[in-house]
Amino acid sequence: MRTKILIRTFFIIIVLIVMISGCGRRKQSITVAGSTAFQPFAEKLADQYMQIYPDAYITIQGGGSAVGIQSALSGAAQIGMADLVTLPEEAKALCSVIVARDGIAVIVNLKNQVNNLTSSQIREIYNGKIDNWKDVGGKDHPITVISREEGSGTRSSFESIIKNVSLTNNAIIQDSNGTVRETVVNDINTIGYISHGLVNDKIKPVLVNGIASTEEEIIKGRYALVRPIFFLTKETPKEKIKDFIDYILSKPGQETIKQNGLIPAK
Amino acid sequence: MKVLTEKGIYRLLMIIALSAIAMLLLIVLFILKEGLPFIFITGIRDFLLSSEWKPAAGKFGIFPMLVGSLWVTLGAMIVGVPLGLAGAVFISEFIPRWAMKIIKPTIELLAGIPSVVYGFIGVMVLAPLIRDYFGGPGLSIAAGAIILGIMILPTILSISIDSIKAVPNSYREGAFALGATHWQTIHMVVIPAARSGIVAGIILGLGRAIGETMAVIMVVGNAVKLPGSAFDSVRTLTANIALEMGYATGKHREALFATGVVLLVIIMVLNYFAASAIKRGVKK
């Protein structure tokens, strides 16, 4: 008897939970989807925004830059995030705002002696034409190239800035900035590229064309590997959507972006 | 209190059973619907046997992934089958029942470890070891094979133990009575008698090895190429889908579903063999 009652209460509780969560107060909600590189920053910004304006409700979703463009086009999200150097043809119909910029650091293992690579050396390495570190001033070790999966915003930005990259099929493919970094930490022969905001002291970012991937150089516009982060909307942003974008572009918003390792838009 | 009558229960159970089957059917239908048109348009030969996979350039050949899956799975068998079989024989024939009751569940716990954890161990421990001793990037077929070999151990072990245990004791007594030693009894009488169960266990393990995704993505390096040695990086069919599905649109997406169709066919064929192996065992 007792178990029966228990089971019944359990069911009632579940039904109640479903009902409550289903018919919560409908705040005006904004969905933001896309770039996984900008997702953590967008979450932070949305939190801050919601603290200031408690009646706004913003959901941040990932999915990648391609998903960001698609969902902005289809209306599945009010704002799409994309971190591409050049927006693809289908995104031309959307309104775009650059909310931040992000450098792409080319990274090697700490024990690697190579400190500087030119963009043409990077291209040859990723094309597989240069496959030994001694050809670019290092020790006689084979180069293990690490890239990202097809469709990653970081990869497409990297390839469109370096230009004419047709990735060697010896390249190891990792599916996130974090795993690329881990692989480089563990293997002395590797070269990879990750978002500037995720560089730490376990790996060594190399100079590209003699310029370091520091915030200063990126703001000055001297570092080559920089990509913009776009917010895409179907129509000219207005009301809540405009408010949120304005907040990101405002001083406190840009300050948050800067503190977390990205480069402000202006 | 008599809400749940005999008939009510019967209907309820039937609905639950049917919905499970319906779900399976829907999944299969959905994958076929999304993937088959692509295979027919590209042509089965071009799709399966071309080794160029460049979605951006509209080239979809999954041959490297087929070969990758094959080698990694084969490697997993080479690691997992001897270990599993030897373990099963030892646990079921050589140690007392009470010890078995402790050891068997412990090994089955291996199946409960999430595959990311296996992958993590592979990346942090195994790959550096392989890189240091054998060269290459470390993230390789060998790493994948060892990790998968361990992952399929519980499947092979527990099914093999059950089928060895199911061999009637009279067989063993008969063999002993003829003057056979313990080892002779095992490899001439017990294992042949339990063969169909052992084969079924191995095939189920094989299916798990082909289907495993997370751990494999982490340890095989995912390079799209035909491997030259066991220490080269490869990409498997499952990894191909999981890596690219998040971004894929249009033709690329269809190609990934088509990859899913290929996987589905492989696994269905394997399961069919496993089922018929078990059936043969029952008939005997």
Side-chain angles (χ1 to χ4, degrees):
Chain A
M1 222 30 224
R2 195 183 256 165
T3 43
K4 253 185 201 162
I5 292 170
L6 261 174
I7 290 172
R8 216 176 279 170
T9 6
F10 182 69
F11 269 111
I12 291 172
I13 289 172
I14 285 186
V15 170
L16 278 177
I17 290 174
V18 171
M19 275 164 62
I20 290 169
S21 57
C23 339
R25 277 186 302 137
R26 288 274 154 84
K27 297 173 176 179
Q28 192 186 5
S29 79
I30 303 175
T31 307
V32 184
S35 163
T36 46
F38 194 65
Q39 189 186 355
F41 304 98
E43 277 162 6
K44 218 162 257 173
L45 289 161
D47 275 349
Q48 292 177 352
Y49 181 76
M50 284 189 283
Q51 262 169 19
I52 305 172
Y53 305 100
D55 57 333
Y57 191 74
I58 299 170
T59 337
I60 310 289
Q61 295 169 359
S65 298
V67 171
I69 294 168
Q70 285 303 324
S71 49
L73 278 172
S74 69
Q78 281 76 36
I79 303 176
M81 304 182 280
D83 52 5
L84 305 165
V85 175
T86 43
L87 289 171
E89 211 41 52
E90 68 256 35
K92 294 276 153 69
L94 298 165
C95 292
S96 58
V97 188
I98 295 177
V99 292
R101 281 176 299 165
D102 183 18
I104 300 173
V106 176
I107 55 170
V108 296
N109 191 278
L110 281 179
K111 292 195 193 110
N112 198 321
Q113 295 169 330
V114 175
N115 289 315
N116 182 21
L117 290 170
T118 64
S119 14
S120 69
Q121 279 172 331
I122 295 173
R123 180 184 316 127
E124 300 288 277
I125 288 173
Y126 273 85
N127 281 340
K129 299 234 175 63
I130 297 178
D131 58 3
N132 197 304
W133 282 111
K134 70 171 191 257
D135 296 336
V136 289
K139 281 188 183 154
D140 186 6
H141 284 303
I143 298 179
T144 305
V145 173
I146 300 173
S147 188
R148 291 282 304 279
E149 74 284 8
E150 193 90 31
S152 140
T154 313
R155 171 165 167 185
S156 82
S157 308
F158 175 81
E159 292 186 346
S160 62
I161 297 170
I162 295 292
K163 289 201 185 77
N164 299 324
V165 178
S166 97
L167 186 66
T168 161
N169 54 14
N170 285 316
I172 293 219
I173 307 291
Q174 292 289 341
D175 61 353
S176 72
N177 278 295
T179 45
V180 170
R181 190 175 65 192
E182 277 312 304
T183 317
V184 175
V185 170
N186 285 319
D187 187 347
I188 186 169
N189 299 329
T190 48
I191 180 168
Y193 54 87
I194 60 173
S195 163
H196 158 78
L198 294 164
V199 170
N200 63 11
D201 52 7
K202 286 185 189 160
I203 37 115
K204 183 170 78 174
V206 296
L207 308 181
V208 177
N209 301 327
I211 312 283
S213 65
T214 57
E215 201 175 306
E216 207 177 309
E217 301 284 10
I218 295 173
I219 291 173
K220 275 190 202 152
R222 292 173 37 155
Y223 184 72
L225 289 161
V226 179
R227 56 170 167 179
I229 290 165
F230 289 103
F231 266 29
L232 305 163
T233 50
K234 210 167 181 180
E235 321 165 330
T236 328
K238 53 189 176 204
E239 293 169 21
K240 291 275 182 239
I241 299 173
K242 182 172 188 303
D243 281 355
F244 181 51
I245 294 178
D246 284 348
Y247 173 74
I248 294 177
L249 293 172
S250 72
K251 217 166 188 184
Q254 294 289 310
E255 196 55 40
T256 311
I257 285 175
K258 199 171 159 185
Q259 273 167 12
N260 291 289
L262 283 193
I263 316 297
K266 285 162 196 152
Chain B
M1 262 338 278
K2 267 218 156 182
V3 191
L4 300 172
T5 57
E6 282 294 317
K7 226 174 192 175
I9 293 274
Y10 169 78
R11 289 217 179 106
L12 191 72
L13 289 178
M14 190 171 74
I15 290 170
I16 293 171
L18 285 182
S19 62
I21 297 169
M23 261 182 256
L24 177 70
L25 262 178
L26 283 177
I27 292 173
V28 172
L29 279 180
F30 179 71
I31 294 175
L32 288 180
K33 181 189 136 262
E34 297 281 319
L36 271 188
F38 180 85
I39 297 185
F40 288 129
I41 291 167
T42 326
I44 294 181
R45 261 190 58 183
D46 276 356
F47 183 59
L48 291 181
L49 298 179
S50 151
S51 51
E52 266 197 288
W53 175 266
K54 288 190 175 128
K59 286 179 183 156
F60 303 100
I62 58 165
F63 191 59
M65 278 73 103
L66 265 179
V67 174
S69 270
L70 197 80
W71 280 117
V72 172
T73 311
L74 197 75
M77 291 290 118
I78 293 172
V79 175
V81 170
L83 283 178
L85 204 55
V89 167
F90 181 75
I91 291 168
S92 49
E93 290 291 314
F94 286 93
I95 56 175
R97 210 157 241 280
W98 62 266
M100 186 186 100
K101 281 202 178 117
I102 301 168
I103 294 175
K104 195 175 166 230
T106 314
I107 293 168
E108 279 163 1
L109 265 186
L110 275 177
I113 299 175
S115 54
V116 240
V117 176
Y118 281 104
F120 193 65
I121 294 170
V123 169
M124 302 311 279
V125 183
L126 201 58
L129 280 177
I130 291 175
R131 183 165 54 235
D132 291 347
Y133 288 99
F134 300 102
L139 300 168
S140 57
I141 299 178
I146 293 171
I147 290 293
L148 276 181
I150 297 169
M151 289 180 75
I152 60 173
L153 257 186
T155 313
I156 298 181
L157 255 172
S158 58
I159 296 178
S160 301
I161 289 176
D162 289 343
S163 60
I164 290 174
K165 278 278 152 204
V167 174
N169 250 336
S170 53
Y171 283 32
R172 296 186 185 84
E173 283 157 9
F176 286 138
L178 289 172
T181 63
H182 198 170
W183 173 236
Q184 284 169 334
T185 309
I186 289 167
H187 83 103
M188 291 167 153
V189 177
V190 177
I191 291 184
R195 200 183 57 211
S196 61
I198 294 171
V199 169
I202 291 173
I203 294 176
L204 287 177
L206 195 74
R208 177 155 158 75
I210 289 183
E212 176 52 44
T213 311
M214 193 61 221
V216 173
I217 286 183
M218 292 171 81
V219 299
V220 295
N222 307 314
V224 184
K225 63 162 183 181
L226 293 170
S229 78
F231 307 108
D232 269 359
S233 161
V234 290
R235 184 184 292 191
T236 63
L237 292 167
T238 49
N240 193 40
I241 300 176
L243 276 175
E244 295 182 0
M245 196 46 119
Y247 303 94
T249 48
K251 271 236 168 290
H252 187 187
R253 205 178 105 98
E254 288 172 29
L256 294 181
F257 269 106
T259 314
V261 173
V262 174
L263 252 177
L264 194 72
V265 170
I266 294 175
I267 288 181
M268 276 183 166
V269 169
L270 281 179
N271 271 335
Y272 171 76
F273 280 123
S276 62
I278 293 172
K279 220 185 272 165
R280 238 180 304 147
V282 173
K283 262 186 204 147
K284 253 194 256 169

